[in-house]
Amino acid sequence: MKILVFNAGSSSHKLCLFSLEETLSRASHSLLWKAQIDWYPQRREATIAIESGDGQTRAETTNFDAKREVLARVLATIETSAPLDGNLDGNLDAVGHRVVHGGDRYRDSTRIDATAKREIAKLIPFAPAHNPVNLEGIDLLEKIFAGVPQFAVFDTAFHSAMPCVAATYPGAYDWFDRGIRRYGFHGISHQYCTRRAAQLLDRPVADLKLITCHLGNGCSLAAVAGGRSVDTTMGFTPLDGLMMGTRSGAIDPGIAVHLLREGMSADDLDRVLNKESGLKGISGVSHDLREIDAAIAAGNERAQLALDLFVHRLKAGIGAMLMSLGGVDAIVFAGGVGEHHAAIRAAACDALGFLGVEVDTVRNEGTAGDRDITTADSTVRVLVVRTQEELEIARECVRQLRA
């Protein structure tokens, strides 16, 4: 099957074309084509990077009046750079879209129709930075590929079966009935990491207790038992939980009340907590750990505090997920930070020495793709995984087509 995946963000669009085959004995996939479009609306410019399945790349900057024009031009390159039998429209089996918030209604991926679009729109107040952009992407691709089945794959779906005790906030009892509950996010990544961990460990997913750590500019942990999320650190919004690149993560709610009473507006508070806190707010340098590491090397004490605080909150989160699971078989690190920052992995795992976790320094500092970074004697495995959300979205489309 040929599946086009469209991951629409606020400032960029990522697209991948996959070929997925499944037989009774094995499943396989190949990436035929991928592209990224970064939008600069103030300049009416877009930068385009395209890679064909054989590794050939091209990049350009273009002016635009409408995003659809640029998107159509980019998609047209598939027919000249991907192995297809005929035109793209006639080859596509489905288009898959990442949608951040599915609320209570969507506990699984769903085929997109007018009802689904209305429900996604209703959730815009819960995800104002994400769901509108996701809907825009859906509308664009529906116009370009009219008649091709389109599916929404929700970041919240993987967490939707969390037990009530993990999903409920200890506030007013009627909050839950009003949709104020822990939803969790990064579910597509946590789901992929769960699947990949089972492959690396050569064990059935149903037998595993995992802590999956998606660490990037946004960060979240999930406690996964038998392939199902039973707890997670993000909550009603993606602001909750761990310290992140520009987000505060969990704070005393009284701080927000205090600042509002001092005269800060709700919009300013939202901006500070989401865009000026976390690593950026504490370091005063950047949200990017590479720049923070450079500042630490130059003796910047605030940068050191930011890194130490990030690790402190990460360790606390892992401890919480461990208690929710009542034990753990493996800890999985993924995302830009989780995959590439060996010192953070080592620091987090040092605190787990009492459980018998032993990290192999050479494996941890290596760059050899998906791997186990623990010693043979470690009682808990620690894995590094390059999360592939677009591939997971494509797999979800295939599953829905065959349902």
Side-chain angles (χ1 to χ4, degrees), residues 178-196:
R178 292 160 55 192
I180 301 173
R181 51 157 290 177
R182 183 177 303 280
Y183 289 101
F185 299 90
H186 293 143
I188 298 167
S189 176
H190 289 297
Q191 181 171 303
Y192 175 85
C193 289
T194 297
R195 183 200 303 269
R196 184 64 178 134

Side-chain angles (χ1 to χ4, degrees), residues 236-383:
F236 177 63
T237 73
L239 181 59
D240 197 8
L242 302 178
M243 178 180 178
M244 307 178 218
T246 64
R247 300 177 204 153
S248 65
I251 62 167
D252 180 350
I255 296 171
V257 174
H258 172 74
L259 292 172
L260 290 170
R261 284 177 174 165
E262 279 198 332
M264 179 178 281
S265 70
D267 286 343
D268 283 343
L269 179 60
D270 179 78
R271 173 179 50 79
V272 169
L273 293 178
N274 277 293
K275 298 181 179 179
E276 297 178 6
S277 297
L279 289 168
K280 179 182 177 183
I282 298 299
S283 73
V285 173
S286 173
H287 69 280
D288 190 322
L289 271 164
R290 291 167 296 189
E291 296 182 26
I292 290 172
D293 285 338
I296 291 171
N300 187 314
E301 293 183 359
R302 279 183 59 181
Q304 183 66 63
L305 175 61
L307 178 60
D308 292 345
L309 183 53
F310 183 89
V311 171
H312 175 76
R313 300 294 292 263
L314 173 60
K315 290 190 291 187
I318 290 173
M321 296 300 105
L322 177 63
M323 295 304 292
S324 289
L325 288 169
V328 65
D329 296 299
I331 300 168
V332 185
F333 287 95
V337 174
E339 185 183 349
H340 298 295
H341 207 294
I344 286 177
R345 294 193 299 264
C349 292
D350 279 348
L352 296 169
F354 72 98
L355 289 178
V357 176
E358 294 183 11
V359 170
D360 183 302
T361 302
V362 174
R363 290 178 181 173
N364 184 40
E365 294 181 354
T367 57
D370 295 356
R371 63 197 185 279
D372 186 333
I373 60 170
T374 44
T375 66
D377 294 331
S378 182
T379 56
V380 176
R381 312 321 299 171
V382 179
L383 309 177

Side-chain angles (χ1 to χ4, degrees), residues 91-109:
N91 273 262
L92 276 184
D93 293 285
V95 176
H97 298 266
R98 176 194 177 216
V99 179
V100 166
H101 214 309
D104 283 324
R105 173 156 186 166
Y106 292 110
R107 296 171 175 261
D108 197 358
S109 305

Side-chain angles (χ1 to χ4, degrees), residues 118-173:
R118 282 196 301 270
E119 293 299 319
I120 294 168
K122 287 180 184 178
L123 293 164
I124 286 175
F126 291 178
H130 298 95
N131 274 33
V133 181
N134 302 150
L135 280 170
E136 180 186 47
I138 289 168
D139 287 339
L140 284 169
L141 270 292
E142 281 185 331
K143 290 181 174 68
I144 293 172
F145 298 112
V148 176
Q150 312 239 350
F151 294 92
V153 182
F154 299 95
D155 254 331
T156 50
F158 184 64
H159 305 293
S160 63
M162 277 192 302
C164 190
V165 70
T168 304
Y169 283 110
Y173 183 77

